[in-house]
Amino acid sequence: LARLIFFAMADSALQAKILRQVEYYFGDINLSKDTFMKKTLEEKDGWLPFETLLKFKRLVQISSDIEVIKGALADSELVEVGEAGVRRMPSNPAPESLSEALTIHADKALYVKGFPTDSNL
């Protein structure tokens, strides 16, 4: 029973990491400034294909199993999974610009840049 609880906790932690990373990609701040994501979503009617999602290094470091990723996103309030891939829920559209996103999140956003990409917290 203890092993089962351990694996359930590990699975839950993995799902939380996946959810946090994918919701970051589709979040107001990132999506408003990520030209690659915006272009891909425009070309694919709002969907990010799974094969494109699996090219994102930080996500693949967490998991490259698309079924595990789909399962982790099942309870998301920001994105939904479909046959075409993953998309931001149409009922919650992204801001048009970074300045609009920063205005919306002014009370909780901090934008920093210039750190090495291999840095860890």
Side-chain angles (χ1 to χ4, degrees):
L1 182 63
R3 286 181 96 171
L4 183 60
I5 292 171
F6 171 76
F7 287 121
M9 288 174 55
D11 189 47
S12 177
L14 175 65
Q15 289 184 331
K17 286 181 180 180
I18 293 167
L19 181 62
R20 184 172 53 244
Q21 190 62 43
V22 174
E23 285 188 341
Y24 167 80
Y25 296 141
F26 284 89
D28 289 353
I29 303 296
N30 185 68
L31 199 53
S32 65
K33 63 185 177 75
D34 188 326
T35 55
F36 172 77
M37 284 273 295
K38 280 198 246 185
K39 182 180 178 201
T40 303
L41 295 174
E42 285 173 15
E43 292 172 354
K44 304 290 184 181
D45 293 324
W47 293 95
L48 184 69
F50 296 119
E51 59 268 12
T52 304
L53 189 64
L54 290 175
K55 292 178 183 175
F56 293 2
K57 292 179 185 177
R58 290 187 188 222
L59 177 61
V60 172
Q61 288 173 347
I62 300 167
S63 177
S64 60
D65 184 330
I66 199 62
E67 294 305 318
V68 171
I69 294 169
K70 287 178 183 180
L73 301 179
D75 293 329
S76 175
E77 295 182 11
L78 182 64
V79 299
E80 63 184 353
V81 176
E83 288 184 25
V86 180
R87 72 174 177 176
R88 187 166 168 139
M89 291 193 181
S91 60
N92 186 3
E96 294 292 320
S97 67
L98 178 59
S99 61
E100 182 183 342
L102 291 173
T103 300
I104 292 169
H105 298 284
D107 61 333
K108 57 186 168 197
L110 176 64
Y111 178 70
V112 295
K113 65 180 184 177
F115 292 95
T117 57
D118 60 350
S119 293
N120 291 317
L121 294 176

